[in-house]
mmCIF file with all atom_site columns, all heavy atoms in Angstrom:
data_model
loop_
_atom_site.group_PDB
_atom_site.id
_atom_site.type_symbol
_atom_site.label_atom_id
_atom_site.label_alt_id
_atom_site.label_comp_id
_atom_site.label_asym_id
_atom_site.label_entity_id
_atom_site.label_seq_id
_atom_site.pdbx_PDB_ins_code
_atom_site.Cartn_x
_atom_site.Cartn_y
_atom_site.Cartn_z
_atom_site.occupancy
_atom_site.B_iso_or_equiv
_atom_site.pdbx_formal_charge
_atom_site.auth_seq_id
_atom_site.auth_comp_id
_atom_site.auth_asym_id
_atom_site.auth_atom_id
_atom_site.pdbx_PDB_model_num
ATOM 1   N N   . PHE A 1 75 ? -17.729 2.017  18.113 1.00 0.00 ? 1531 PHE A N   1
ATOM 2   C CA  . PHE A 1 75 ? -18.356 2.558  16.836 1.00 0.00 ? 1531 PHE A CA  1
ATOM 3   C C   . PHE A 1 75 ? -17.311 3.355  16.097 1.00 0.00 ? 1531 PHE A C   1
ATOM 4   O O   . PHE A 1 75 ? -16.641 4.187  16.692 1.00 0.00 ? 1531 PHE A O   1
ATOM 5   C CB  . PHE A 1 75 ? -19.590 3.419  17.057 1.00 0.00 ? 1531 PHE A CB  1
ATOM 6   C CG  . PHE A 1 75 ? -20.724 2.700  17.507 1.00 0.00 ? 1531 PHE A CG  1
ATOM 7   C CD1 . PHE A 1 75 ? -20.963 2.419  18.862 1.00 0.00 ? 1531 PHE A CD1 1
ATOM 8   C CD2 . PHE A 1 75 ? -21.678 2.240  16.662 1.00 0.00 ? 1531 PHE A CD2 1
ATOM 9   C CE1 . PHE A 1 75 ? -22.037 1.636  19.315 1.00 0.00 ? 1531 PHE A CE1 1
ATOM 10  C CE2 . PHE A 1 75 ? -22.838 1.528  17.016 1.00 0.00 ? 1531 PHE A CE2 1
ATOM 11  C CZ  . PHE A 1 75 ? -23.007 1.120  18.466 1.00 0.00 ? 1531 PHE A CZ  1
ATOM 12  N N   . TYR A 1 76 ? -17.115 3.091  14.763 1.00 0.00 ? 1532 TYR A N   1
ATOM 13  C CA  . TYR A 1 76 ? -16.206 3.826  14.066 1.00 0.00 ? 1532 TYR A CA  1
ATOM 14  C C   . TYR A 1 76 ? -16.832 4.783  13.028 1.00 0.00 ? 1532 TYR A C   1
ATOM 15  O O   . TYR A 1 76 ? -18.039 4.501  12.644 1.00 0.00 ? 1532 TYR A O   1
ATOM 16  C CB  . TYR A 1 76 ? -15.270 2.884  13.173 1.00 0.00 ? 1532 TYR A CB  1
ATOM 17  C CG  . TYR A 1 76 ? -14.250 2.158  13.972 1.00 0.00 ? 1532 TYR A CG  1
ATOM 18  C CD1 . TYR A 1 76 ? -14.411 1.050  14.750 1.00 0.00 ? 1532 TYR A CD1 1
ATOM 19  C CD2 . TYR A 1 76 ? -12.943 2.723  14.111 1.00 0.00 ? 1532 TYR A CD2 1
ATOM 20  C CE1 . TYR A 1 76 ? -13.394 0.450  15.473 1.00 0.00 ? 1532 TYR A CE1 1
ATOM 21  C CE2 . TYR A 1 76 ? -11.974 2.174  14.862 1.00 0.00 ? 1532 TYR A CE2 1
ATOM 22  C CZ  . TYR A 1 76 ? -12.151 1.045  15.535 1.00 0.00 ? 1532 TYR A CZ  1
ATOM 23  O OH  . TYR A 1 76 ? -11.113 0.448  16.330 1.00 0.00 ? 1532 TYR A OH  1
ATOM 24  N N   . SER A 1 77 ? -16.152 5.852  12.756 1.00 0.00 ? 1533 SER A N   1
ATOM 25  C CA  . SER A 1 77 ? -16.736 6.807  11.787 1.00 0.00 ? 1533 SER A CA  1
ATOM 26  C C   . SER A 1 77 ? -15.558 7.494  10.921 1.00 0.00 ? 1533 SER A C   1
ATOM 27  O O   . SER A 1 77 ? -14.614 7.510  11.424 1.00 0.00 ? 1533 SER A O   1
ATOM 28  C CB  . SER A 1 77 ? -17.574 7.847  12.515 1.00 0.00 ? 1533 SER A CB  1
ATOM 29  O OG  . SER A 1 77 ? -16.678 8.494  13.437 1.00 0.00 ? 1533 SER A OG  1
ATOM 30  N N   . LEU A 1 78 ? -16.007 7.930  9.776  1.00 0.00 ? 1534 LEU A N   1
ATOM 31  C CA  . LEU A 1 78 ? -15.018 8.634  8.946  1.00 0.00 ? 1534 LEU A CA  1
ATOM 32  C C   . LEU A 1 78 ? -14.648 10.051 9.524  1.00 0.00 ? 1534 LEU A C   1
ATOM 33  O O   . LEU A 1 78 ? -15.557 10.762 10.003 1.00 0.00 ? 1534 LEU A O   1
ATOM 34  C CB  . LEU A 1 78 ? -15.619 8.932  7.581  1.00 0.00 ? 1534 LEU A CB  1
ATOM 35  C CG  . LEU A 1 78 ? -15.305 7.988  6.364  1.00 0.00 ? 1534 LEU A CG  1
ATOM 36  C CD1 . LEU A 1 78 ? -15.636 8.689  5.167  1.00 0.00 ? 1534 LEU A CD1 1
ATOM 37  C CD2 . LEU A 1 78 ? -13.956 7.418  6.537  1.00 0.00 ? 1534 LEU A CD2 1
ATOM 38  N N   . ARG A 1 79 ? -13.383 10.305 9.555  1.00 0.00 ? 1535 ARG A N   1
ATOM 39  C CA  . ARG A 1 79 ? -12.994 11.676 10.065 1.00 0.00 ? 1535 ARG A CA  1
ATOM 40  C C   . ARG A 1 79 ? -12.979 12.739 8.988  1.00 0.00 ? 1535 ARG A C   1
ATOM 41  O O   . ARG A 1 79 ? -13.094 13.913 9.312  1.00 0.00 ? 1535 ARG A O   1
ATOM 42  C CB  . ARG A 1 79 ? -11.613 11.487 10.833 1.00 0.00 ? 1535 ARG A CB  1
ATOM 43  C CG  . ARG A 1 79 ? -11.648 12.077 12.167 1.00 0.00 ? 1535 ARG A CG  1
ATOM 44  C CD  . ARG A 1 79 ? -10.602 11.467 13.055 1.00 0.00 ? 1535 ARG A CD  1
ATOM 45  N NE  . ARG A 1 79 ? -9.264  11.613 12.542 1.00 0.00 ? 1535 ARG A NE  1
ATOM 46  C CZ  . ARG A 1 79 ? -8.470  12.576 12.908 1.00 0.00 ? 1535 ARG A CZ  1
ATOM 47  N NH1 . ARG A 1 79 ? -8.846  13.379 13.880 1.00 0.00 ? 1535 ARG A NH1 1
ATOM 48  N NH2 . ARG A 1 79 ? -7.315  12.709 12.435 1.00 0.00 ? 1535 ARG A NH2 1
ATOM 49  N N   . CYS A 1 80 ? -12.515 12.292 7.779  1.00 0.00 ? 1536 CYS A N   1
ATOM 50  C CA  . CYS A 1 80 ? -12.431 13.289 6.782  1.00 0.00 ? 1536 CYS A CA  1
ATOM 51  C C   . CYS A 1 80 ? -13.306 12.832 5.525  1.00 0.00 ? 1536 CYS A C   1
ATOM 52  O O   . CYS A 1 80 ? -12.851 11.897 4.802  1.00 0.00 ? 1536 CYS A O   1
ATOM 53  C CB  . CYS A 1 80 ? -11.003 13.415 6.314  1.00 0.00 ? 1536 CYS A CB  1
ATOM 54  S SG  . CYS A 1 80 ? -9.980  14.342 7.435  1.00 0.00 ? 1536 CYS A SG  1
ATOM 55  N N   . PRO A 1 81 ? -14.470 13.409 5.309  1.00 0.00 ? 1537 PRO A N   1
ATOM 56  C CA  . PRO A 1 81 ? -15.277 12.976 4.165  1.00 0.00 ? 1537 PRO A CA  1
ATOM 57  C C   . PRO A 1 81 ? -14.636 13.031 2.867  1.00 0.00 ? 1537 PRO A C   1
ATOM 58  O O   . PRO A 1 81 ? -14.999 12.315 1.905  1.00 0.00 ? 1537 PRO A O   1
ATOM 59  C CB  . PRO A 1 81 ? -16.466 13.915 4.288  1.00 0.00 ? 1537 PRO A CB  1
ATOM 60  C CG  . PRO A 1 81 ? -16.356 14.597 5.639  1.00 0.00 ? 1537 PRO A CG  1
ATOM 61  C CD  . PRO A 1 81 ? -14.995 14.537 5.956  1.00 0.00 ? 1537 PRO A CD  1
ATOM 62  N N   . CYS A 1 82 ? -13.523 13.906 2.754  1.00 0.00 ? 1538 CYS A N   1
ATOM 63  C CA  . CYS A 1 82 ? -12.931 13.980 1.523  1.00 0.00 ? 1538 CYS A CA  1
ATOM 64  C C   . CYS A 1 82 ? -12.346 12.767 0.881  1.00 0.00 ? 1538 CYS A C   1
ATOM 65  O O   . CYS A 1 82 ? -12.059 12.597 -0.302 1.00 0.00 ? 1538 CYS A O   1
ATOM 66  C CB  . CYS A 1 82 ? -11.909 15.152 1.526  1.00 0.00 ? 1538 CYS A CB  1
ATOM 67  S SG  . CYS A 1 82 ? -10.494 14.775 2.387  1.00 0.00 ? 1538 CYS A SG  1
ATOM 68  N N   . VAL A 1 83 ? -12.201 11.807 1.774  1.00 0.00 ? 1539 VAL A N   1
ATOM 69  C CA  . VAL A 1 83 ? -11.561 10.470 1.324  1.00 0.00 ? 1539 VAL A CA  1
ATOM 70  C C   . VAL A 1 83 ? -12.425 9.936  0.198  1.00 0.00 ? 1539 VAL A C   1
ATOM 71  O O   . VAL A 1 83 ? -11.813 9.080  -0.606 1.00 0.00 ? 1539 VAL A O   1
ATOM 72  C CB  . VAL A 1 83 ? -11.281 9.486  2.404  1.00 0.00 ? 1539 VAL A CB  1
ATOM 73  C CG1 . VAL A 1 83 ? -10.276 9.999  3.395  1.00 0.00 ? 1539 VAL A CG1 1
ATOM 74  C CG2 . VAL A 1 83 ? -12.528 9.074  2.993  1.00 0.00 ? 1539 VAL A CG2 1
ATOM 75  N N   . LEU A 1 84 ? -13.531 10.271 0.127  1.00 0.00 ? 1540 LEU A N   1
ATOM 76  C CA  . LEU A 1 84 ? -14.415 9.749  -0.952 1.00 0.00 ? 1540 LEU A CA  1
ATOM 77  C C   . LEU A 1 84 ? -13.994 10.302 -2.319 1.00 0.00 ? 1540 LEU A C   1
ATOM 78  O O   . LEU A 1 84 ? -14.310 9.741  -3.376 1.00 0.00 ? 1540 LEU A O   1
ATOM 79  C CB  . LEU A 1 84 ? -15.950 10.084 -0.811 1.00 0.00 ? 1540 LEU A CB  1
ATOM 80  C CG  . LEU A 1 84 ? -16.432 9.335  0.459  1.00 0.00 ? 1540 LEU A CG  1
ATOM 81  C CD1 . LEU A 1 84 ? -17.907 9.739  0.792  1.00 0.00 ? 1540 LEU A CD1 1
ATOM 82  C CD2 . LEU A 1 84 ? -16.399 7.831  0.204  1.00 0.00 ? 1540 LEU A CD2 1
ATOM 83  N N   . ASN A 1 85 ? -13.371 11.440 -2.335 1.00 0.00 ? 1541 ASN A N   1
ATOM 84  C CA  . ASN A 1 85 ? -12.779 11.949 -3.625 1.00 0.00 ? 1541 ASN A CA  1
ATOM 85  C C   . ASN A 1 85 ? -11.721 10.946 -4.119 1.00 0.00 ? 1541 ASN A C   1
ATOM 86  O O   . ASN A 1 85 ? -11.545 10.873 -5.390 1.00 0.00 ? 1541 ASN A O   1
ATOM 87  C CB  . ASN A 1 85 ? -11.998 13.268 -3.469 1.00 0.00 ? 1541 ASN A CB  1
ATOM 88  C CG  . ASN A 1 85 ? -12.876 14.342 -2.951 1.00 0.00 ? 1541 ASN A CG  1
ATOM 89  O OD1 . ASN A 1 85 ? -14.107 14.275 -3.067 1.00 0.00 ? 1541 ASN A OD1 1
ATOM 90  N ND2 . ASN A 1 85 ? -12.487 15.398 -2.405 1.00 0.00 ? 1541 ASN A ND2 1
ATOM 91  N N   . PHE A 1 86 ? -11.075 10.327 -3.202 1.00 0.00 ? 1542 PHE A N   1
ATOM 92  C CA  . PHE A 1 86 ? -10.160 9.160  -3.693 1.00 0.00 ? 1542 PHE A CA  1
ATOM 93  C C   . PHE A 1 86 ? -10.924 8.186  -4.582 1.00 0.00 ? 1542 PHE A C   1
ATOM 94  O O   . PHE A 1 86 ? -10.481 8.017  -5.727 1.00 0.00 ? 1542 PHE A O   1
ATOM 95  C CB  . PHE A 1 86 ? -9.651  8.320  -2.426 1.00 0.00 ? 1542 PHE A CB  1
ATOM 96  C CG  . PHE A 1 86 ? -8.609  9.010  -1.736 1.00 0.00 ? 1542 PHE A CG  1
ATOM 97  C CD1 . PHE A 1 86 ? -8.585  10.204 -1.126 1.00 0.00 ? 1542 PHE A CD1 1
ATOM 98  C CD2 . PHE A 1 86 ? -7.345  8.147  -1.664 1.00 0.00 ? 1542 PHE A CD2 1
ATOM 99  C CE1 . PHE A 1 86 ? -7.419  10.600 -0.411 1.00 0.00 ? 1542 PHE A CE1 1
ATOM 100 C CE2 . PHE A 1 86 ? -6.221  8.632  -1.005 1.00 0.00 ? 1542 PHE A CE2 1
ATOM 101 C CZ  . PHE A 1 86 ? -6.388  9.887  -0.433 1.00 0.00 ? 1542 PHE A CZ  1
ATOM 102 N N   . LEU A 1 87 ? -12.062 7.793  -4.115 1.00 0.00 ? 1543 LEU A N   1
ATOM 103 C CA  . LEU A 1 87 ? -12.780 6.730  -4.780 1.00 0.00 ? 1543 LEU A CA  1
ATOM 104 C C   . LEU A 1 87 ? -13.314 7.324  -6.101 1.00 0.00 ? 1543 LEU A C   1
ATOM 105 O O   . LEU A 1 87 ? -13.189 6.524  -7.086 1.00 0.00 ? 1543 LEU A O   1
ATOM 106 C CB  . LEU A 1 87 ? -14.028 6.352  -3.919 1.00 0.00 ? 1543 LEU A CB  1
ATOM 107 C CG  . LEU A 1 87 ? -13.525 5.766  -2.430 1.00 0.00 ? 1543 LEU A CG  1
ATOM 108 C CD1 . LEU A 1 87 ? -14.682 5.248  -1.674 1.00 0.00 ? 1543 LEU A CD1 1
ATOM 109 C CD2 . LEU A 1 87 ? -12.414 4.877  -2.547 1.00 0.00 ? 1543 LEU A CD2 1
ATOM 110 N N   . SER A 1 88 ? -13.746 8.520  -6.205 1.00 0.00 ? 1544 SER A N   1
ATOM 111 C CA  . SER A 1 88 ? -14.260 8.910  -7.504 1.00 0.00 ? 1544 SER A CA  1
ATOM 112 C C   . SER A 1 88 ? -13.114 9.079  -8.579 1.00 0.00 ? 1544 SER A C   1
ATOM 113 O O   . SER A 1 88 ? -13.200 8.811  -9.672 1.00 0.00 ? 1544 SER A O   1
ATOM 114 C CB  . SER A 1 88 ? -14.956 10.298 -7.362 1.00 0.00 ? 1544 SER A CB  1
ATOM 115 O OG  . SER A 1 88 ? -14.139 11.314 -7.015 1.00 0.00 ? 1544 SER A OG  1
#
Side-chain angles (χ1 to χ4, degrees):
Chain A
F1531 291 85
Y1532 280 87
S1533 56
L1534 264 201
R1535 229 156 62 96
C1536 288
C1538 72
V1539 296
L1540 293 174
N1541 297 343
F1542 274 62
L1543 306 187
S1544 67

